[in-house]
Amino acid sequence: MTAKTWAYEDFVEGASFDLGTKEVSAAEIVEFASEFDAQPMHLDEEAGKASILGGLSASGWHTCAMFMRMLCDAFLLDSTCQGAPGVDQVKWKKPVLAGDTLRGNLVVLAKRPSKSKPQLGFVTMRSELVNQRGESVFELENSVMFLTRDAAGNAA
């Protein structure tokens, strides 16, 4: 995490954030799938190889969860984030396989103050994860609500 508490005013259109890296293990793929998405290609290497995915692969929902962890660690846990009203788009572009190393990046597309809640602003972001070969495996676009710096100071 950074030493800064990110508030609505700190986000600038066009700014880019490095979300760091995440190594994906076979054990975590199987653990996640066992609880949340028990399809064969997420549970067994041979079933994964026999599928169009080409090997033991993370569930798309697991990929979303890994992305969220990376986002939290990069700056979200040190921000005035108030959640998100939804996700506009998510794309699972290539399989995330056991042994892959993911790198994340986020770009601020737009921002606007809330019309009904002056203490809030919406920041629209596009995020991407690429694997160790530089191949895009995941894209997400959504808006996130952040308190303004004044509102965050008054809440403290």
Side-chain angles (χ1 to χ4, degrees):
M1 291 195 321
T2 64
K4 175 179 189 161
T5 298
W6 291 86
Y8 171 72
E9 294 87 349
D10 297 317
F11 294 94
V12 177
E13 290 181 23
S16 180
F17 291 84
D18 180 359
L19 303 181
T21 61
K22 165 75 172 106
E23 292 183 25
V24 184
S25 73
E28 73 180 290
I29 289 173
V30 171
E31 181 181 357
F32 184 95
S34 295
E35 186 166 355
F36 300 110
D37 191 351
Q39 296 182 73
M41 68 285 244
H42 305 317
L43 293 169
D44 178 76
E45 178 69 35
E46 291 309 312
K49 285 180 182 175
S51 77
I52 64 169
L53 302 175
L56 181 66
S57 70
S59 160
W61 300 113
H62 183 191
T63 303
C64 288
M66 290 185 283
F67 160 75
M68 191 67 204
R69 177 83 258 174
M70 294 168 76
L71 180 63
C72 284
D73 290 346
F75 71 87
L76 202 62
L77 294 179
D78 192 22
S79 76
T80 63
C81 180
Q82 300 297 296
V87 171
D88 299 316
Q89 167 183 281
V90 65
K91 291 183 181 180
W92 299 305
K93 300 177 72 178
K94 286 193 174 284
V96 173
L97 301 174
D100 278 354
T101 299
L102 304 178
R103 172 164 289 288
N105 187 65
L106 177 150
V107 175
V108 176
L109 299 178
K111 61 186 271 190
R112 68 171 178 82
S114 172
K115 294 175 184 156
S116 61
K117 293 181 171 58
Q119 73 275 21
L120 279 178
F122 293 87
V123 179
T124 303
M125 305 171 171
R126 179 180 296 127
S127 303
E128 179 181 38
L129 297 177
V130 298
N131 63 22
Q132 67 278 5
R133 293 177 296 281
E135 300 167 325
S136 180
V137 299
F138 168 89
E139 288 179 359
L140 181 135
E141 191 171 310
N142 72 314
S143 292
V144 180
M145 298 176 291
F146 291 92
L147 287 175
T148 62
R149 188 154 307 287
D150 284 345
N154 291 334

